[in-house]
Amino acid sequence: MALWSGRFEKGADAFTQRFGASLPVDKKLYAQDVAGSVAHGQMLAAQGVISAKDAAAIKEGLAAIQAAIEEGTFAFDINNEDIHMSIESALTAVIGDAGARLHTGRSRNDQVVTDTRLYAKQRASDLMDANLALRAALLEAAEKHFDVILPGYTHLQHAQPVLLSHHLLAYVWMLTRDFERLAAARAAADANPLGSAALAGTTYPLDRFATTAALGFARPIPNSLDAVSDRDFLLDLMYACSVSSLHLSRLAEELILWSTSEFGFITMADSYATGSSIMPQKKNPDFAELIRGKTGRVVGDLVALMMTLKSLPLAYNKDLQEDKEGAMDAADTLEDCYRCAAGMVATMTVHPEAMMAQAHKGYLAATDVADYLAKKGMPFRQAHEVVGHLVLLCDKRGCDLEDLALDDFKAESDLFEADIAGCLNLKAIVEARTTYGGTAPVAVRQQLEEAQRAYEADQIRL
Ligand code: ARG
């Protein structure tokens, strides 16, 4: 018998019962459900709605149920379609009338979203923690490979030389912003719907501020209709997960590229690669590919709930039961991806000589040669043209700008002097980009310290 069976003449159909049940998904919310019920029961007693004795029995009974669930001895039964009914009917079976009084002034509509908000807050915190672990791995790699030079790319063509530490720090900043988005999602979830009852509030003298404090929420939600039907906080969480997942897909893609024979910039640790069942020589970056691939499902989770919410009338509708599975999946998936990426970065081997060899290809000094002329008074557009001719000359000769003689330079412009050699050296080119945020070691050192400080500040916010 369902807890709502009073007005029904026939029992439920087995198929629709299974179709309508959310228990397989929401049983994960058991701890939050118990916490919400304890807070509600205590508040009912404090307000004189139930006796202190009943409230004590409720609290004790719920603790025993939580322990049974955690020990794996709780008998879940799909007749109780969700975690709320499962726990309440088990409670009433054990403590009788006191248990049957717990649902006074409450509906599953405010109950479910209270549980979900508590859960979202916890998962946002877990993700912030995992985000920090990945940032720590990247910061450590940036420190370890601080001076390594590789080609920087635009359009995936060699552009200008950059420090590997600079490149890795770009990801640290993406993740620093992702942390901010997760913190914002946690703050969005941090509001208490309990006491809104089914949709309109209740005739009992409930103290919503008391349950807000007991459950550690920042504030009660001011509108009961909004409280039971708002799922924005899950969209916020999934949006934060989606953006971070996109960032991880970019990192994963680069690690995949860098570990190809064509690049040879890094070697993945054996534990972050797999072999082939037919080709004995293969070492595949499966886990980086999975991180890249899982972005699709995280973004899919976000879009799915957006579509579920579209055009939903107020207040609670059963459609809202579709909210939890995707949100849980997005958080679980991102947490695993953070962990996997951190391990991959911490264990990869970097090949500085391969990076440097590539940096010598593709005329990475060209901008600096043009800047050399511009600094001597030639308009930059004209200087650009001159260097274009020099690159063409190199292309024809099959050599690099570094291999040209001073006379070759002078043939294009008599502004060239012997000191042009200083513009052709990759290390000097990198060292010259001292603007704030630039790739010179002095600037990157400053940047690394800033990223480290942001990391430490975020650690405190956990
Ligand atoms: N299992 C439901 C959910 O996840 C709980 C709320 C059900 N409320 C209702 N009136 N049917 O949304």
Side-chain angles (χ1 to χ4, degrees):
M1 270 304 183
L3 290 177
W4 38 254
S5 62
R7 60 100 65 226
F8 286 79
E9 288 178 344
K10 281 197 192 142
D13 167 80
F15 166 70
T16 55
Q17 202 156 25
R18 184 174 58 74
F19 183 68
S22 56
L23 186 60
V25 171
D26 62 28
K27 61 161 80 161
K28 268 191 180 174
L29 300 177
Y30 73 89
Q32 288 78 7
D33 200 67
V34 165
S37 289
V38 170
H40 184 67
Q42 296 296 113
M43 180 276 295
L44 287 178
Q47 296 300 103
V49 179
I50 65 171
S51 70
K53 195 163 151 270
D54 281 351
I58 287 170
K59 191 172 174 186
E60 209 179 300
L62 287 170
I65 288 171
Q66 177 158 355
I69 294 175
E70 281 165 4
E71 282 157 18
T73 55
F74 186 86
F76 282 107
D77 172 2
I78 203 82
N79 280 325
N80 294 309
E81 63 185 53
D82 54 31
I83 188 65
H84 325 297
M85 303 225 274
S86 302
I87 291 180
E88 192 192 324
S89 57
L91 180 69
T92 305
V94 176
I95 67 168
D97 282 355
R101 289 197 178 99
L102 170 62
H103 212 54
T104 311
R106 187 177 69 168
S107 158
R108 278 184 298 148
N109 299 351
D110 59 344
Q111 185 178 0
V112 66
V113 70
T114 302
D115 296 2
T116 308
R117 282 176 174 273
L118 289 171
Y119 185 83
K121 277 175 66 178
Q122 181 56 51
R123 296 303 284 146
S125 293
D126 298 341
L127 288 168
M128 286 155 79
D129 197 25
N131 170 291
L132 283 172
L134 174 54
R135 276 156 70 186
L138 285 163
L139 285 167
E140 206 168 298
E143 185 62 70
K144 186 167 161 199
H145 309 295
F146 188 83
D147 288 317
V148 172
I149 292 174
L150 78 162
Y153 297 81
T154 64
H155 312 272
L156 210 53
Q157 305 287 321
H158 289 195
Q160 291 172 354
V162 294
L163 291 186
L164 177 58
S165 48
H166 190 197
H167 194 111
L168 294 173
L169 281 166
Y171 286 102
V172 174
W173 291 115
M174 292 179 222
L175 288 160
T176 304
R177 297 193 296 278
D178 294 342
F179 184 96
E180 210 55 55
R181 271 180 279 271
L182 289 167
R186 184 171 71 175
D190 199 8
N192 183 21
L194 198 59
S196 299
L199 74 163
T202 163
T203 57
Y204 297 98
L206 301 191
D207 183 351
R208 295 195 56 211
F209 291 87
T211 54
T212 297
L215 291 170
F217 280 116
R219 57 192 187 279
I221 296 175
N223 180 314
S224 61
L225 294 165
D226 186 37
V228 295
S229 51
D230 167 23
R231 296 295 184 276
D232 303 0
F233 66 99
L234 290 179
L235 294 181
D236 290 343
L237 180 62
M238 284 190 278
Y239 175 69
C241 290
S242 295
V243 176
S244 203
S245 192
L246 289 171
H247 287 154
L248 293 191
S249 77
R250 298 178 74 170
L251 173 65
E253 167 67 3
E254 294 210 301
L255 296 180
I256 293 163
L257 273 178
W258 287 2
S259 58
T260 58
S261 315
E262 285 74 9
F263 277 78
F265 286 3
I266 59 165
T267 304
M268 297 266 191
D270 282 0
S271 47
Y272 288 95
T274 60
S276 155
S277 56
I278 177 168
M279 297 167 282
Q281 86 284 10
K282 292 279 279 186
K283 186 170 172 186
N284 296 325
D286 283 37
F287 301 103
E289 293 168 67
L290 267 178
I291 292 173
R292 186 177 61 184
K294 281 180 189 288
T295 310
R297 80 189 256 170
V298 176
V299 175
D301 290 330
L302 167 65
V303 175
L305 183 59
M306 287 183 132
M307 289 302 99
T308 296
L309 294 179
K310 181 188 172 291
S311 312
L312 261 196
L314 293 178
Y316 180 85
N317 299 275
K318 186 77 163 178
D319 313 45
L320 291 173
Q321 180 166 286
E322 289 294 309
D323 64 349
K324 286 171 283 296
E325 194 170 3
M328 289 171 171
D329 180 66
D332 293 350
T333 303
L334 180 62
E335 193 175 36
D336 285 349
C337 289
Y338 273 154
R339 182 173 169 182
C340 191
M344 207 174 281
V345 168
T347 56
M348 68 186 183
T349 307
V350 169
H351 304 300
E353 42 332 305
M355 293 186 177
M356 192 53 143
Q358 282 303 325
H360 279 291
K361 296 182 193 163
Y363 317 113
L364 270 64
T367 313
D368 291 65
V369 177
D371 285 342
Y372 172 93
L373 292 174
K375 283 172 189 168
K376 291 198 167 188
M378 184 182 287
F380 183 78
R381 275 287 148 245
Q382 216 172 306
H384 187 288
E385 182 76 12
V386 167
V387 182
H389 291 153
L390 289 167
V391 166
L392 202 55
L393 178 66
C394 289
D395 244 358
K396 284 182 181 150
R397 287 193 195 161
C399 71
D400 192 20
L401 286 167
E402 260 180 299
D403 306 320
L404 296 180
L406 182 56
D407 283 345
D408 296 323
F409 283 99
K410 279 197 174 296
E412 288 296 334
S413 165
D414 49 19
L415 291 175
F416 283 118
E417 303 291 344
D419 63 348
I420 186 60
C423 293
L424 302 174
N425 176 278
L426 291 177
K427 202 159 166 281
I429 291 172
V430 167
E431 277 166 6
R433 287 181 162 66
T434 55
T435 35
Y436 175 75
T439 206
V442 279
V444 176
R445 174 56 61 195
Q446 189 186 353
Q447 186 193 154
L448 183 57
E449 282 163 11
E450 216 177 297
Q452 183 72 36
R453 278 199 298 278
Y455 169 83
E456 281 157 20
D458 284 346
Q459 256 183 330
I460 294 164
R461 289 164 71 193
L462 262 190

